Amino acid sequence: MRSVVVSAPGKLMLLGEHAVVYDRPCIVTAIDRRMKVRLSVIKDEVLEVESPKVGIVHYRKLMRDLGMETNGHKVKFVELGVKHFREKFPFGGGVRIETLSEFSCNFGFGSSATITVCVIKALAELFGKKLSNKEIFDLAYKTVLAVQGRGSGFDVASAVFGGTLYFWTGGEVIERLTFGHLPLVIGYTGIKADTVSLIKQVEELRKKDYGKVEGIFDEISVLVKKAKEAIVRSDWKQLGDLMNRDEELLEKLGVGGEKLSLLIKTSLQAGAFGAKLSGAGVGDCMVVLVPEEKKNDVCRAISQAGGEVVEVELGVEGVRIEVQSSERKVQRLYEKIKGDGSGAVKYSIY
Ligand code: PMV
């Protein structure tokens, strides 16, 4: 049985959320928490999915029925990913897909986008299709849109390209930013953000008060462009001010949240340059830019306020093949990443 293991990084939105859904830029960075997908070719004309952490166990569907009457949000990303790939590059037989993740899907690190990207990359590898990163992005983005209805594709781009990206809606611009160490602290609220309904909520507000919301988006657009320059110059004071202004604008859009506000306020009081929500809002994570000497104070303040500090490395590599070889080799790697009790590598099964 031919198999491949592919991994892609999770992401954190730095600035520009919501506005990026409406033809504006954002800045996103890839983090060192990866999603891993093992994909194997099987004889039967079926798709099999094993993703027990999100309740997908022994999922089976005939290849010709892919996309029809699919129950379960998460499995749709996998199913439509395979369907879209197969429409473009027809193949016989079926595939078995197993997922492993180094992060819980509650964090808002982009598990849906990363799974989709891994599936497309793995299929391309197994069926000998030399796809460019942009082609992987296009197929994965098409899939995410088909499931979610709306979304800028920033999370898909981050999973594919990695690094820290200046990204424009739908991948019109995907520019990699080069700079030194970004002194960022991540605080997790413990609350799950519902991205799809928050996008809808902003859409409703925009319909009701078009001028105001477009004005906010324009201001976010200007500050994201300034932030891009500040990052490249490593001007953390200016970047912090821009993050604070972005947070004010996001609150005007109605996507702030009590816990987020508390963690942001305490971080600023503890000496941060700037702090803001990251992603759709209400919950998930917040990002804090800190002077190095204040890092411990800020981390302590976040914990005391009931947040969880999440240590991550930023700007990591995008989607990559972990191993493609005989089934035994893949199995060995898979056992290792599931954790063999040695404590050397600890990943939770997704
Ligand atoms: O909730 P997240 O981390 O997937 O971020 C959503 C960001 C939005 O701008 C609100 C949506 C998007 O697709 O860009």
Side-chain angles (χ1 to χ4, degrees):
M1 186 162 56
R2 284 184 300 139
S3 283
V4 65
V5 177
V6 166
S7 80
K11 56 80 191 143
L12 272 172
M13 176 72 97
L14 296 182
L15 299 107
E17 45 272 272
H18 288 289
V20 67
V21 180
Y22 298 89
D23 274 320
R24 270 83 171 186
C26 75
I27 299 173
V28 56
T29 190
I31 59 170
D32 65 343
R33 303 285 172 100
R34 301 184 81 85
M35 173 72 66
K36 288 190 167 71
V37 166
R38 173 166 67 167
L39 196 144
S40 317
V41 177
I42 53 178
K43 276 206 199 81
D44 296 347
E45 293 260 332
V46 290
L47 166 69
E48 293 180 359
V49 186
E50 292 294 344
S51 207
K53 253 296 180 58
V54 286
I56 307 171
V57 189
H58 307 325
Y59 185 86
R60 269 176 81 85
K61 191 143 188 188
L62 290 175
M63 293 299 266
R64 64 164 183 269
D65 292 343
L66 291 185
M68 283 159 62
E69 291 170 29
T70 309
N71 292 319
H73 185 63
K74 282 281 172 192
V75 83
K76 279 190 198 163
F77 292 94
V78 175
E79 204 177 306
L80 291 184
V82 175
K83 181 178 189 286
H84 291 150
F85 181 88
R86 202 161 162 262
E87 279 166 3
K88 208 168 157 88
F89 306 106
F91 62 85
V95 287
R96 176 178 169 79
I97 291 171
E98 294 149 279
T99 68
L100 280 170
S101 173
E102 296 172 10
F103 55 89
S104 151
C105 61
N106 291 334
F107 280 77
F109 288 162
S111 54
S112 309
T114 42
I115 286 186
T116 313
V117 166
C118 286
V119 166
I120 305 284
K121 175 79 177 176
L123 286 167
E125 187 67 20
L126 275 185
F127 292 103
K129 303 295 168 203
K130 292 252 166 295
L131 299 189
S132 67
N133 274 348
K134 185 62 172 53
E135 287 169 311
I136 293 173
F137 170 84
D138 288 339
L139 262 180
Y141 181 45
K142 177 180 168 183
T143 303
V144 169
L145 277 187
V147 180
Q148 278 184 193
R150 198 144 214 177
S152 65
F154 80 105
D155 40 5
V156 178
S158 178
V160 173
F161 294 90
T164 299
L165 304 176
Y166 177 74
F167 174 89
W168 209 287
T169 323
E172 259 168 69
V173 176
I174 303 175
E175 192 184 324
R176 196 174 183 130
L177 304 184
T178 314
F179 55 93
H181 169 69
L182 187 67
L184 211 66
V185 166
I186 317 303
Y188 173 53
T189 58
I191 299 164
K192 178 85 197 104
D194 182 346
T195 304
V196 175
S197 13
L198 284 161
I199 292 177
K200 189 113 208 93
Q201 186 184 309
V202 172
E203 190 182 336
E204 290 304 316
L205 186 69
R206 184 168 172 266
K207 271 190 210 146
K208 249 200 300 187
D209 208 341
Y210 185 82
K212 178 185 147 193
V213 172
E214 280 292 305
I216 291 175
F217 288 164
D218 284 341
E219 203 183 319
I220 291 177
S221 179
V222 171
L223 72 79
V224 168
K225 289 174 194 159
K226 285 188 184 156
K228 176 188 168 197
E229 303 306 322
I231 289 175
V232 174
R233 282 197 320 271
S234 300
D235 185 344
W236 306 140
K237 171 79 185 72
Q238 195 200 358
L239 182 62
D241 291 343
L242 292 165
M243 286 167 67
N244 290 337
R245 181 64 189 144
D246 198 7
E247 173 62 25
E248 280 170 23
L249 294 166
L250 288 163
E251 283 174 22
K252 283 192 189 163
L253 287 177
V255 297
E258 234 176 84
K259 185 75 174 281
L260 281 168
S261 299
L262 174 69
L263 299 185
I264 288 165
K265 204 171 108 207
T266 39
S267 300
L268 292 174
Q269 280 165 352
F273 287 128
K276 63 177 283 294
L277 64 83
S278 170
V282 177
D284 286 351
C285 288
M286 34 85 79
V287 284
V288 192
L289 196 67
V290 290
E292 212 49 65
E293 68 281 7
K294 296 280 182 191
K295 189 175 170 191
N296 288 342
D297 294 347
V298 169
C299 289
R300 206 173 310 115
I302 291 174
S303 303
Q304 278 167 2
E308 183 189 329
V309 175
V310 189
E311 294 278 350
V312 290
E313 199 189 308
L314 308 177
V316 305
E317 196 187 348
V319 69
R320 66 176 183 229
I321 306 292
E322 293 288 338
V323 60
Q324 164 155 45
S325 188
S326 68
E327 175 61 12
R328 265 188 65 213
K329 252 190 179 169
V330 173
Q331 187 61 34
R332 240 181 285 140
L333 177 100
Y334 205 68
E335 290 308 322
K336 191 177 165 212
I337 59 185
K338 263 163 90 176
D340 54 6
S342 67
V345 196
K346 280 199 208 110
Y347 300 113
S348 58
I349 187 151
Y350 176 84

